[in-house]
Amino acid sequence: MDEQDQGGLLHHRQGTGGHQALACGRGRASRLLAGAQQSATVANPVSGASPDLLPRFLLEPEDVYIVKNKPVSLACRATPATQIYFKCNGEWVHQGDHVMQHSTDRSTGLPVMEVRIDISRQQVEKIFGLEEYWCQCVAWSSSGTTKSQKAFVRIAYLRKNFEQEPMAREVSIEQGIVLQCRPPEGIPPAEVEWLRNEELVDPALDANVYVTPEHSLVVRQARLADTANYTCVAKNIVARRRSASAAITVYVDGAWSEWSKWSVCGAECTHWRSRECSEPAPRNGGQEWCWGARGAHALPPAAASGAEDVALYVGLVAVAVCLVLLLLVGVLVYCRKKEGLDADVADSSILTAGFQPVSIKPSKADNLLTIQPDLSSTTMTYQGSLCPRQDGPAKLQLPNGHLLSPLGAGRHTLHHSSPAAEGADFVARLSTQSYFRSLPRGTTNMAYGTFNFLGGRLMIPNTGISLLIPPDAIPRGKIYEVYLTLHKQEEVRLPLAGCQTLLSPIVSCGPPGVLLTRPAILAMGHCVEASAENWSIRLKKQSCEGTWEDVLQLGVEPCSELYYCQLEAQACYIFTEQLGRFALVGESLSMAASKRLKLVLFAPAACPSLEYNIRVYCLSDTQDVLKEVIQLEKQMGGQLIGAPRVLHFKDSYHNLRLSIHDMPSSLWKSKLLASYQEIPFYHIWSGLQPYLHCTFTLERLSPSTCELACKIWIWQVEGDGQSFTINFNIAKDTRFSDWLVPDGEVGSPALVGPSAFKIPFLIRQKIISSLDTPCARGADWRTLAQKLNLDSHLGFFASKPSPTAMILNLWEARHFPNGNLSQLAAAVAEVGKQDGGLFSVSEAEC
């Protein structure tokens, strides 16, 4: 017996064996790898022993899969063998876990020994992700030992979402068809089959179809009979998944029949023949007409002259129609230009006025950017002169230079477009266009408005989702109806591959394809604990064809010209010049990668029966998901019974467990049969199931019991955990109602024009014109970015025509509506100190 197996067996027999600490097991397993490949090892052989007496395996353990929570068995049989024991991941399995059976080989008379062990899901999960779980048999005889092959034990699963689903198509007859399908990730890998109108497609029975090794269904030449709904089906030992059905329509264009025979000559010496567009007739939406003449005629000379007159008249009518169309286009262009001037700016001097040099006192620097007119109505009125006199009272002062003056006395009027009055009308208009048919029909998770070159902002209340349209992002003379939509997971199919996980809500802004001359900024929350060594994070955008594409990988140079993303602790800000549907998707690079979960406890506000349910939600830590759960609980009559907590959920493949403790047994009892409840790892990690929760059902032993005291523990196996100490009156306790956002406190979903911005328009323009030009002394936009802690984005800012405008736009997106303007004023003032004449303005500019 080799020294390693002797020592291990002795340790096993003394009763202190079994599975060692996990870290020790990993180290020892790595030391055994070299010897694991040997099929037999002989140590201290008995003198004169025959090699034939080494144990020979009649049955070796084979790879198995654990389905759900059912344990699996491994078996081995060897002869001649005096002892057989299992090793799993380099550690001896405890003797008491073996089931042994002894017998004798009738043909040889040698002893035969068979051993079985059971492996549970919990045993595999303890090292899942560190290495694969494997076991092998070691058999002893008087001549030495023999090791069996390794058998790997894997937890079987099949994810719900297909990585790629077949797409509907219309094809002409005899054209080839390729329907692509990438099944969900699973262990063991899923087998794929195809259904045509719910009947199995068998390539062995139809030579016109075959399935590629990549699971795509190929139809060599489309036939009319191939018009059907096709479904990709993936299955393994765990489950069977169906993709969305793809409708394939095979159409036939019409074609001419043969010419008929010529008719007999008539009285005017003419005859004719004809043909029909009927061979074949158009089918399934095929082209219903055929090119070429329907009939041919032989005409006398007089008839030929008549035909020439008809052609002349047709030409004159065509010319007249073209002239009318040109006239209409000219009138429309003129009206559009006039409308843009009248509706957008009634008094253009307010946008072009200069600034007077003023003296600014340090004690009043906070007033620098806080002077904003009330622009909440459709027509706004400013009071104050646009260019105050030099001898007027000083409003702001700063040492070593001049900055910006507020608006003085006078009166000027500025007009802008207002948001659409009726949400239902707006959605109805959008739903008539093909791209917008996937938008939700309600307006609870939607904001919309009408915008021009003055810009504005859309917000979906209580979700952290907003869209900032900067000034001049919309070309002058254009008016856009813009929407912002939060999608529920079941509304939009976002395929995830491998270890990918959804980190943000899925948000649409549009309409797509509109022309923006400057990037808009889409803000939304995320739930990732971001670090470059643990995560690869990508911004995905859905194309008009419905496929999702990676448009930006965060932290990787060079950046996209059309997209940029500022990722902060709990929110991301996406610069985009093309509106569309976006989502943030991450792929973990190590088991240290983690997502934030928001743990929220709800219970009934009224309890008429003895049963009492506590619902524990495990949500992605974003405001939109919490809002949806709060609305759901309000409909169910639930109340919050504890302050929400955050748990960091790691990519360790370990499940989330929940348990309840310390209930007074004389007052309450739990109906939970097990010691804990469990949410599978993959249900949480994918991020595609937003409202995961467990329910603890309790029972009062007396109807008079109203006080509930207990503890609820929530933890990831070998990971982070949180506990809730509950002590409240189930009949009248409302201590945590402040966490629920009242229905009335939703804010305005659409702000148009200057009212959408913290920084007054004229002051913004002056800062931009002063800081865009590079300055040798550093008094330019780069210093401003440094003061605002945005200097890690200098490359992106420099790629735009106005870097300062990008900085101010990002500041607006991050700090609205509660931003501290005094801090921005101080940063601008610090830049101004480096160049005393930076913000001075001549009298001629007024």
Side-chain angles (χ1 to χ4, degrees):
M1 189 180 305
D2 62 19
E3 180 181 356
Q4 175 185 341
D5 291 334
Q6 283 180 335
L9 183 59
L10 178 61
H11 186 69
H12 176 73
R13 287 175 175 172
Q14 289 175 344
T16 59
H19 291 290
Q20 305 298 308
L22 184 58
C24 178
R26 293 199 302 268
R28 187 172 184 183
S30 62
R31 296 195 299 272
L32 293 175
L33 287 177
Q37 302 300 324
Q38 300 177 2
S39 62
T41 304
V42 179
N44 301 326
V46 178
S47 177
S50 171
D52 294 338
L53 295 181
L54 280 173
R56 177 173 57 88
F57 281 99
L58 304 176
L59 173 67
E60 296 188 69
E62 297 181 347
D63 295 349
V64 290
Y65 297 96
I66 294 178
V67 178
K68 297 182 179 178
N69 291 317
K70 296 179 181 178
V72 294
S73 295
L74 297 178
C76 60
R77 186 188 313 123
T79 183
T82 57
Q83 297 182 52
I84 302 179
Y85 289 102
F86 270 95
K87 267 186 173 182
C88 292
N89 287 82
E91 300 292 336
W92 291 106
V93 176
H94 195 277
Q95 183 177 6
D97 295 334
H98 291 76
V99 178
M100 300 184 181
Q101 183 177 355
H102 297 270
S103 62
T104 302
D105 190 328
R106 295 181 179 180
S107 61
T108 63
L110 295 175
V112 177
M113 190 172 185
E114 182 173 342
V115 174
R116 293 180 180 273
I117 62 171
D118 288 337
I119 305 295
S120 69
R121 183 187 183 103
Q122 287 74 18
Q123 290 174 263
V124 177
E125 284 181 337
K126 284 183 179 179
I127 65 164
F128 198 41
L130 302 174
E131 56 181 316
E132 289 194 288
Y133 193 97
W134 57 267
C135 296
Q136 68 177 162
C137 283
V138 182
W140 282 266
S141 71
S142 59
S143 297
T145 64
T146 303
K147 296 181 180 178
S148 72
Q149 67 182 10
K150 287 184 177 180
F152 290 90
V153 183
R154 301 179 174 93
I155 297 176
Y157 66 92
L158 184 61
R159 291 191 173 181
K160 291 186 177 181
N161 297 308
F162 280 73
E163 296 182 6
Q164 185 175 13
E165 294 186 290
M167 303 293 291
R169 294 182 58 190
E170 293 183 355
V171 297
S172 62
I173 195 166
E174 297 185 353
Q175 180 182 345
I177 306 174
V178 178
L179 291 174
Q180 296 181 329
C181 175
R182 292 171 58 193
E185 180 186 358
I187 293 179
E191 299 177 355
V192 171
E193 60 186 20
W194 286 87
L195 301 180
R196 180 197 287 130
N197 288 343
E198 301 302 318
E199 294 184 0
L200 182 66
V201 176
D202 189 354
L205 302 178
D206 187 352
N208 193 44
V209 299
Y210 66 93
V211 179
T212 70
E214 293 78 25
H215 311 299
S216 297
L217 178 66
V218 178
V219 180
R220 291 184 171 92
Q221 289 185 320
R223 304 156 297 191
L224 289 176
D226 293 321
T227 297
N229 292 321
Y230 290 81
T231 308
C232 180
V233 179
K235 61 181 180 179
N236 66 4
I237 59 177
V238 178
R240 187 173 186 264
R241 312 289 190 206
R242 292 167 56 98
S243 72
S245 296
I248 299 299
T249 303
V250 181
Y251 61 85
V252 181
D253 291 337
W256 288 117
S257 63
E258 294 294 330
W259 285 103
S260 67
K261 294 182 178 180
W262 286 104
S263 66
V264 178
C265 286
E268 297 180 355
C269 197
T270 62
H271 64 164
W272 55 271
R273 63 177 182 173
S274 65
R275 56 181 178 175
E276 300 292 333
C277 188
S278 60
E279 292 187 7
R283 297 278 301 275
N284 295 342
Q287 186 171 284
E288 297 182 357
W289 64 88
C290 300
W291 293 103
R294 186 177 182 87
H297 306 269
L299 302 176
S305 174
E308 292 176 359
D309 292 341
V310 170
L312 176 61
Y313 294 146
V314 170
L316 291 175
V317 170
V319 172
V321 170
C322 290
L323 291 175
V324 171
L325 289 176
L326 288 174
L327 180 61
L328 288 176
V329 169
V331 170
L332 288 175
V333 170
Y334 172 80
C335 293
R336 193 65 175 268
K337 289 184 177 180
K338 186 176 185 300
E339 178 186 0
L341 291 175
D342 292 344
D344 291 337
V345 181
D347 186 351
S348 62
S349 64
I350 194 168
L351 304 179
T352 57
F355 294 84
Q356 287 283 12
V358 296
S359 175
I360 303 170
K361 296 180 181 179
S363 62
K364 296 186 178 181
D366 291 350
N367 295 331
L368 171 63
L369 301 177
T370 58
I371 301 171
Q372 289 195 98
D374 180 11
L375 302 178
S376 58
S377 61
T378 304
T379 302
M380 289 76 61
T381 300
Y382 291 91
Q383 291 190 352
S385 67
L386 297 179
C387 208
R389 301 293 301 171
Q390 182 70 14
D391 54 358
K395 299 288 184 180
L396 304 169
Q397 291 188 357
L398 273 179
N400 302 325
H402 307 293
L403 201 57
L404 307 175
S405 63
L407 299 174
R411 191 175 184 87
H412 297 273
T413 304
L414 175 67
H415 299 266
H416 68 80
S417 304
S418 60
E422 296 294 334
D425 292 343
F426 185 86
V427 176
R429 287 199 304 275
L430 292 180
S431 63
T432 60
Q433 304 178 44
S434 59
Y435 181 82
F436 304 126
R437 289 172 187 166
S438 61
L439 294 177
R441 291 297 174 260
T443 58
T444 303
N445 290 327
M446 186 177 187
Y448 43 86
T450 305
F451 300 91
N452 56 20
F453 75 96
L454 292 173
R457 187 187 306 262
L458 290 175
M459 295 173 288
I460 301 177
N462 306 321
T463 63
I465 298 171
S466 65
L467 178 68
L468 179 74
I469 305 172
D472 288 324
I474 297 176
R476 297 193 177 225
K478 299 285 187 180
I479 296 178
Y480 293 161
E481 283 188 330
V482 182
Y483 65 84
L484 179 66
T485 300
L486 167 63
H487 293 277
K488 295 182 179 180
Q489 306 292 353
E490 59 269 20
E491 295 174 349
V492 180
R493 291 183 176 272
L494 174 59
L496 298 177
C499 298
Q500 289 183 340
T501 172
L502 181 63
L503 301 176
S504 73
I506 301 175
V507 179
S508 291
C509 54
V514 300
L515 173 64
L516 293 180
T517 57
R518 288 171 175 77
I521 301 180
L522 175 64
M524 58 185 178
H526 67 77
C527 62
V528 63
E529 289 293 305
S531 60
E533 62 272 14
N534 294 332
W535 283 99
S536 172
I537 302 176
R538 300 173 186 271
L539 177 65
K540 285 184 173 286
K541 182 174 183 286
Q542 191 177 31
S543 67
C544 293
E545 291 77 21
T547 59
W548 286 88
E549 302 170 348
D550 294 340
V551 296
L552 180 67
Q553 183 174 0
L554 276 63
V556 176
E557 297 290 345
C559 296
S560 167
E561 294 182 358
L562 296 177
Y563 308 97
Y564 187 78
C565 184
Q566 156 78 359
L567 188 68
E568 299 189 354
Q570 294 185 330
C572 61
Y573 301 91
I574 301 167
F575 290 78
T576 175
E577 296 182 16
Q578 294 183 353
L579 303 182
R581 185 169 295 159
F582 296 92
L584 208 61
V585 171
E587 184 170 1
S588 63
L589 303 179
S590 74
M591 288 195 298
S594 66
K595 296 173 60 176
R596 295 189 314 275
L597 298 184
K598 180 79 76 175
L599 308 177
V600 192
L601 275 62
F602 282 91
C607 185
S609 66
L610 294 179
E611 279 195 355
Y612 192 72
N613 294 323
I614 297 179
R615 293 179 290 276
V616 183
Y617 288 87
C618 305
L619 314 172
S620 296
D621 186 18
T622 56
Q623 294 183 40
D624 61 288
V625 179
L626 182 59
K627 172 189 174 182
E628 290 292 329
V629 169
I630 289 173
Q631 291 177 344
L632 176 64
E633 282 291 334
K634 283 184 178 180
Q635 296 172 3
M636 297 170 57
Q639 66 171 338
L640 192 67
I641 62 172
R645 304 281 182 85
V646 172
L647 181 141
H648 294 86
F649 191 76
K650 292 186 177 180
D651 184 19
S652 62
Y653 296 95
H654 290 303
N655 298 339
L656 191 70
R657 292 180 177 175
L658 305 91
S659 62
I660 188 167
H661 308 274
D662 301 342
M663 278 190 310
S665 58
S666 60
L667 300 176
W668 295 85
K669 71 175 182 180
S670 172
K671 290 192 171 183
L672 182 66
L673 299 179
S675 59
Y676 59 84
Q677 299 190 66
E678 198 166 56
I679 300 178
F681 168 83
Y682 293 104
H683 291 185
I684 299 174
W685 189 255
S686 70
L688 296 177
Q689 302 185 45
Y691 312 132
L692 290 171
H693 70 280
C694 284
T695 300
F696 291 97
T697 301
L698 312 179
E699 184 178 355
R700 293 184 289 174
L701 301 183
S702 170
S704 62
T705 301
C706 292
E707 297 292 333
L708 174 61
C710 63
K711 284 187 177 180
I712 293 181
W713 283 90
I714 306 169
W715 76 101
Q716 187 180 16
V717 179
E718 298 186 9
D720 193 13
Q722 288 283 4
S723 67
F724 290 83
T725 300
I726 299 175
N727 191 350
F728 75 107
N729 188 300
I730 65 175
K732 58 183 179 180
D733 202 329
T734 58
R735 283 175 294 165
F736 301 100
S737 59
D738 292 342
W739 287 90
L740 305 180
V741 180
D743 292 334
E745 296 181 8
V746 295
S748 176
L751 296 173
V752 183
S755 62
F757 305 95
K758 294 283 290 184
I759 308 172
F761 183 82
L762 299 180
I763 293 179
R764 167 191 169 89
Q765 294 301 98
K766 184 56 183 177
I767 295 175
I768 292 173
S769 62
S770 300
L771 299 185
D772 268 351
T773 304
C775 178
R777 292 185 294 274
D780 55 24
W781 62 270
R782 293 169 296 183
T783 305
L784 179 61
Q786 182 181 9
K787 298 294 182 183
L788 298 177
N789 297 319
L790 299 175
D791 47 332
S792 60
H793 313 295
L794 296 182
F796 170 72
F797 295 147
S799 68
K800 300 301 177 183
S802 175
T804 311
M806 295 299 103
I807 296 173
L808 297 182
N809 293 343
L810 180 55
W811 188 93
E812 290 276 8
R814 295 169 70 195
H815 295 91
F816 191 88
N818 300 317
N820 191 337
L821 279 169
S822 62
Q823 293 181 356
L824 178 61
V828 175
E830 286 293 322
V831 178
K833 287 181 180 179
Q834 301 182 34
D835 188 347
L838 181 63
F839 295 110
S840 60
V841 184
S842 66
E843 184 71 23
E845 290 184 89
C846 295

